[in-house]
Amino acid sequence: MARPGQRGPRLLRGPHRAGLPTFCSQLHEKFEHLKRLHQEEKRKVEEKRRELEEETNAFNRRKAAVEALQSQALHATSQQPLRKDKDKKK
């Protein structure tokens, strides 16, 4: 309750009150527009994340394959008799 000499809550009167529904609808339209933009941006980010994840997985598969081949090559060369190396030096 307002004390004497103080005003209570200010209510919109006159032309301000008539513009309120228009303002609210504009505000709601702006909110919906921003919400759509956010959803679109979120979708793009998620799509980019999936692409990067796929690239990372492909890279890791290629890396594992190369490491396996290098390991096999190293193992194969270490199994050769040392005499052949000595013969090559002569």
Side-chain angles (χ1 to χ4, degrees):
M1 188 166 203
R3 294 183 190 165
Q6 289 184 339
R7 295 182 184 192
R10 188 170 178 196
L11 300 175
L12 294 175
R13 293 189 180 115
H16 297 293
R17 186 177 183 137
L20 189 59
T22 303
F23 174 74
C24 286
S25 66
Q26 289 173 349
L27 189 60
H28 184 71
E29 287 175 19
K30 185 175 182 179
F31 170 76
E32 290 297 325
H33 175 71
L34 291 173
K35 195 164 96 172
R36 282 190 302 273
L37 289 176
H38 179 260
Q39 288 172 342
E40 181 66 21
E41 196 64 30
K42 189 174 179 180
R43 186 191 62 77
K44 287 178 184 178
V45 168
E46 183 61 26
E47 184 178 324
K48 187 66 173 177
R49 186 195 63 76
R50 278 193 303 270
E51 289 173 4
L52 290 173
E53 189 174 315
E54 289 173 10
E55 286 181 30
T56 301
N57 290 338
F59 172 79
N60 287 331
R61 284 191 300 272
R62 287 192 305 269
K63 180 181 173 187
V66 167
E67 288 173 348
L69 288 173
Q70 287 175 340
S71 176
Q72 288 174 0
L74 181 62
H75 185 69
T77 57
S78 67
Q79 294 295 324
Q80 292 179 348
L82 293 176
R83 275 189 282 147
K84 289 184 179 180
D85 289 340
K86 289 180 182 179
D87 292 339
K88 288 180 183 177
K89 291 181 183 177
K90 290 183 181 180

